[in-house]
């Protein structure tokens, strides 16, 4: 947890890991450990689990805690580790966050509570409660209105950032690019902002974002990390070239509901033992697989390079 006290180091490409399951639907910790090793070897700048790509709503609290423990143990403090600990229920959120704190996670990623559609004042109190409960754990807000049916307003983000020293930033998974700009403008340039929208990862860096939590890094971790490195080194043309080269893989992720396509690809590559996704998701259909294979062909150069890791 060496990054817990210096969150400014939690930058770049933070890989939001899928949660592997066996064919019978059990948590597959062996595959999860292999994914952690691969991500670090490929150059990902950090790891996360328990966000939308990890299917948290389909898991028990105990399973989510076990996955966090496995990632923390396998990572062994090599790169920053952000644990997704949020839930639609406050008691579950506090329980999982406490477990992540104990496991040595560098920060907790807290999704806005879904389904209930709370007001901005209710959202403020929700995050305030978590922040007060864990004053020495960095808290990252997670705004993903397409899945939660509620959006954290930039003014609420700024208010929370001002009021709590341990609320350090936000993962923005919204296609409203103005929202990114208004968050940074209202909260100030020191707030840490990561993009969770693949095609807005590179543009966010121009506004002052510190990196991205992109699901594409599940299948092209080296390329996604390299895009960030090229941008920050001043090679903007090179970074843009990778941004556009990644388009087919971005499209692949959402041929059908994420993370089913990514899991299918990882299984085909032998990186996980099973492509199983939990209900209500289903594996890619035959039509979906045809489209996935077409897009894999379009990204063959990138995928060939990824095989080196």
């Amino acid at each position: 947890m060496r990054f817990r006290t210096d969150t400014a180091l939690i930058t770049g490409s933070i890989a939001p890991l899928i949660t592997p399951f066996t064919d019978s639907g059990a948590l597959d910790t062996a595959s999860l450990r292999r994914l952690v090793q691969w991500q670090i070897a490929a150059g990902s700048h950090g790891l996360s689990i328990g966000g939308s790509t990890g299917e948290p709503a389909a898991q028990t609290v105990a399973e989510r805690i076990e996955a966090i423990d496995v990632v923390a143990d396998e990572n062994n403090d090599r790169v920053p580790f952000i644990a997704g600990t949020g839930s639609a229920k406050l008691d579950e959120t506090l329980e999982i966050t406490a477990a992540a704190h104990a496991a040595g996670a560098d920060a907790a990623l807290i999704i806005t509570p879904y389904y209930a559609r709370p007001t901005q004042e209710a959202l403020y109190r929700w995050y305030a409660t978590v922040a007060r409960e864990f004053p020495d754990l960095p808290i990252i807000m997670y705004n993903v209105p397409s899945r939660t049916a509620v959006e954290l307003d930039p003014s609420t983000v700024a208010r929370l950032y001002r009021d709590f020293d341990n609320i350090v930033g936000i993962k923005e998974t919204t296609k409203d690019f103005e929202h990114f700009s208004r968050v940074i403008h209202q909260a100030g340039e020191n707030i840490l902002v990561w993009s969770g929208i693949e095609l807005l990862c590179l543009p966010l860096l121009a506004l002052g974002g510190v990196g991205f939590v992109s699901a594409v890094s599940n299948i092209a971790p080296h390329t996604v990390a390299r895009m960030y490195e090229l941008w920050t080194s001043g090679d903007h043309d090179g970074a843009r070239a990778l941004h556009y080269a990644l388009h087919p893989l971005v499209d692949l992720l959402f041929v059908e509901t994420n993370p089913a396509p990514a899991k299918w690809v990882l299984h085909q590559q032998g990186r996980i033992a099973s492509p199983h996704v939990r209900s209500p998701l289903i594996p890619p259909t035959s039509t979906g697989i045809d489209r996935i294979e077409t897009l894999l062909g379009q990204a063959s150069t990138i995928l060939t390079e990824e095989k080196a890791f």
Side-chain angles (χ1 to χ4, degrees):
M1 59 185 181
R2 62 192 172 101
F3 303 99
R4 186 182 291 181
T5 56
D6 192 357
T7 53
L9 297 175
I10 308 178
T11 60
S13 176
I14 311 298
L17 300 171
I18 59 108
T19 303
F21 302 117
T22 65
D23 283 334
S24 64
L27 188 65
D28 180 1
T29 58
S31 289
L32 182 54
R33 288 183 181 276
R34 288 197 299 272
L35 289 179
V36 170
Q37 293 289 352
W38 176 48
Q39 287 289 338
I40 294 173
S44 288
H45 305 117
L47 302 169
S48 181
I49 196 165
S52 302
T53 300
E55 300 175 76
Q59 297 174 54
T60 66
V61 168
E63 287 172 328
R64 292 183 64 184
I65 290 172
E66 182 177 4
I68 289 169
D69 286 342
V70 167
V71 174
D73 179 67
E74 195 65 32
N75 176 43
N76 195 27
D77 221 19
R78 286 177 286 176
V79 297
F81 172 40
I82 301 172
T85 62
S87 166
K89 297 177 64 181
L90 184 58
D91 61 338
E92 290 183 356
T93 297
L94 296 176
E95 181 180 356
I96 300 169
T97 304
H101 183 276
D106 296 293
L109 179 68
I110 310 291
I111 195 169
T112 50
Y114 36 89
Y115 186 76
R117 299 175 66 94
T119 64
Q120 293 301 307
E121 178 61 26
L123 289 170
Y124 176 89
R125 296 184 189 186
W126 176 277
Y127 282 103
T129 299
V130 178
R132 291 190 184 102
E133 188 76 16
F134 305 99
D136 63 338
L137 180 65
I139 303 297
I140 299 170
M141 299 168 281
Y142 183 11
N143 184 44
V144 53
S146 66
R147 289 184 180 264
T148 64
V150 66
E151 183 166 69
L152 264 173
D153 188 83
S155 62
T156 305
V157 174
R159 182 183 171 198
L160 285 161
Y161 181 68
R162 287 192 303 266
D163 289 354
F164 296 94
D165 290 341
N166 61 325
I167 293 183
V168 299
I170 184 167
K171 175 186 174 183
E172 284 285 5
T173 307
T174 172
K175 293 184 178 180
D176 180 0
F177 201 50
E178 287 189 10
H179 193 275
F180 290 75
S181 185
R182 294 188 185 282
V183 163
I184 295 172
H185 181 240
Q186 293 188 34
E189 62 183 13
N190 290 327
I191 189 172
L192 305 177
V193 182
W194 298 264
S195 174
I197 296 291
E198 280 64 35
L199 296 185
L200 295 182
C201 287
L202 188 62
L204 176 62
L205 299 181
L207 294 180
V210 299
F212 23 86
V213 188
S214 170
V216 181
S217 56
N218 276 290
I219 50 180
H222 177 71
T223 305
V224 177
R226 184 67 179 146
M227 181 174 69
Y228 173 84
E229 292 164 1
L230 289 173
W231 178 269
T232 54
S233 70
D235 186 355
H236 295 169
D237 289 341
R240 277 191 291 268
L242 291 185
H243 166 84
Y244 289 114
L246 285 165
H247 268 236
L249 296 182
V250 173
D251 293 343
L252 180 158
L253 290 178
F254 303 103
V255 164
E256 292 177 4
T257 307
N258 176 50
K263 282 190 164 185
W264 186 88
V265 171
L266 289 170
H267 176 60
Q268 292 295 307
Q269 294 174 340
R271 298 196 186 276
I272 59 175
S274 171
H276 185 88
V277 288
R278 283 190 176 173
S279 184
L281 300 185
I282 60 171
T285 62
S286 59
T287 301
I289 290 172
D290 289 344
R291 178 62 177 154
I292 289 168
E293 290 178 333
T294 296
L295 292 166
L296 287 173
Q298 294 174 12
S300 60
T301 300
I302 285 177
L303 295 172
T304 297
E305 293 176 357
E306 295 289 344
K307 288 180 181 178
F309 301 97

